[in-house]
Amino acid sequence: MGPPILAFLPAITLGAYWVGGEAALMFVSLALPLLFAFAGALGKWPAQVNEARDRLTGFVLRDEYIRAVEGTFAQAKITGLKSANFLIEIDEFKELSERLGNATRDLVAQRIGERILSAVRDQDTVARLEDGTFAVCLSPVPQLDLELCIQLAGRIQSAVEDPISVDGSSVYVSCSIGFCQQSRAPGTQALEWLDAAKIALLEAKACGPSTIRAFSPDMQKRTTLDNDLRSELVSALENGQIQPWYQPQISTDTGRVTGFEALARWTHPVRGVLTPDKFLPMIEQTGLLERLGQVMLYHALTALKAWDGAGVDVPRVGVNFASDELCNPELVEKIRWELDRFELTPDRLSVEILETVFSNTPDDIITRNVAGLGALGCRIDLDDFGTGHASIASIRRFAITRIKIDRSFVMKADRDPEQQRLIGAILTMAERLELETLAEGVETVGEHALLAQLGCDHVQGFGIGKPMPFDQTLDWIAAHQAKLQDAPRIGRETG
């Protein structure tokens, strides 16, 4: 018996009156509510639980998901059945709203949720933990080995990464996935199982976009070591452990090297080479961004002098400037002094600045510094173009030399006409504004060829060359120049 019986309470009381008169009516009127209340207090009527659900996907949220994980964990231990926890994070999800707007970002999240749901079984629990993070807890089954988990992760990833149609355009996203089988959970508690999946996800993200990782005990040891890195940052910056690695940029017309971008790498004595996603957040938290910028600039200018001394032609080097550095009122004079010290002309330095810096700072010290560096003669590169909201007016006002087209536009461009139209529109705008262009994230020969045919001036990415320490750049340049001797050019000019 449950709460719906309350709908029949008038009929019950009326029937009692006809059968037993006023005495029966009084008894029923007093006794039934007390009986119902007593039964409810004993839990005879389970309260209707209104689970908090995500407004876009309808999935359960974190608290309810944790309850499901705890129930599944207990059931698997008792029955000997097998389960697994999957965490799926959309790469660069926060940038989607900056690039496409909140409404489109929400629509993309909704479509992604639908695709994840279609890739799993009805009895599995799917949750949305954060804006760009989803979770799947598999209902226990008799057989679930590592290979099956990898296949499921691959199926989810393929579903998520299919192009998403929004207002006639295709939006491409990638996702990183970390998972942990219940049988490999590092502890005896359900939350430790979930934490293991989080550790696997962090490991996947550290390896780059669109990566899948399964939890292993070694990962947990590495996560524990992360807490030790924070205390090592200052000494790492001062003793040369953190230095630039250099990624080549080449001309689409001639194939020749037109520059290198300096990208921070930490060569740790125990943990090996660490990419910025491992240590940059710690540097931001500890207020060391400006010091990192000084280190990067010094080594980048040292590299230019070394290339010159080796007789190789590297026209310029690109250095990323964070907002913290751009807020320094003495920045322009510091850059002028450094260039004079190394006897380099300002045009050898490309100052790379995120598009979001321009959109957020219409008139302040950052604006004056960027304008001052341009007036000094430095090249100003607008990085990750298309992910912010920089206007054409601001591009002209800051004397931008080159725009760097974000990798999200380049991804799969050789197979998607819509991506090609977007790139074509950017290149047309740049040509009219007399700006050079560079495409980031070029990974395939097809993407390289397409960008050359569309008229993009420069390309950069793993398909051209991965970031490398300085001592490997000379060999790379020699090998690249050797390939140019026999290779046909694929740019606009072939004669």
Side-chain angles (χ1 to χ4, degrees), residues 270-344:
V270 176
R271 305 188 62 186
V273 178
L274 304 178
T275 51
D277 57 283
K278 287 284 190 181
F279 61 87
L280 198 56
M282 300 178 194
I283 286 183
E284 292 176 358
Q285 293 165 11
T286 50
L288 292 171
L289 267 180
E290 190 169 2
R291 178 57 185 152
L292 174 64
Q294 294 169 354
V295 169
M296 294 292 290
L297 179 64
Y298 172 81
H299 286 292
L301 297 182
T302 301
L304 275 176
K305 292 295 288 185
W307 285 319
D308 290 349
V312 298
D313 182 21
V314 177
R316 62 191 57 89
V317 65
V319 178
N320 292 276
F321 281 69
S323 296
D324 287 25
E325 299 171 80
L326 294 170
C327 287
N328 184 349
E330 304 298 323
L331 178 64
V332 176
E333 287 306 313
K334 286 179 62 177
I335 299 299
R336 188 198 308 273
W337 186 85
E338 291 288 353
L339 290 168
D340 288 344
R341 177 159 74 114
F342 283 91
E343 298 180 336
L344 293 167

Side-chain angles (χ1 to χ4, degrees), residues 107-180:
L107 181 59
V108 168
Q110 186 177 8
R111 295 286 183 270
I112 289 171
E114 292 169 355
R115 292 177 176 188
I116 294 173
L117 196 62
S118 68
V120 299
R121 303 165 303 166
D122 292 341
Q123 60 267 39
D124 299 328
T125 302
V126 183
R128 189 181 186 197
L129 303 185
E130 296 174 9
D131 280 351
T133 305
F134 297 82
V136 176
C137 183
L138 299 185
S139 178
V141 293
Q143 295 295 329
L144 185 67
D145 59 14
L146 179 62
E147 183 62 30
L148 287 174
C149 288
I150 293 172
Q151 290 176 8
L152 175 57
R155 188 161 70 245
I156 293 173
Q157 189 177 71
S158 296
V160 168
E161 295 184 353
D162 277 344
I164 299 170
S165 180
V166 178
D167 296 330
S169 300
S170 293
V171 175
Y172 286 91
V173 298
S174 61
C175 70
S176 301
I177 300 178
F179 69 87
C180 178

Side-chain angles (χ1 to χ4, degrees), residues 26-72:
M26 290 295 292
F27 176 82
V28 170
S29 299
L30 292 173
L32 279 181
L34 291 174
L35 178 62
F36 293 165
F38 184 69
L42 290 178
K44 305 278 186 178
W45 297 342
Q48 300 239 349
V49 179
N50 293 320
E51 296 174 352
R53 290 184 174 266
D54 177 58
R55 63 180 180 82
L56 289 175
T57 62
F59 295 161
V60 298
L61 298 176
R62 181 179 297 276
D63 290 347
E64 187 61 30
Y65 184 73
I66 290 175
R67 282 193 286 270
V69 168
E70 289 171 341
T72 300

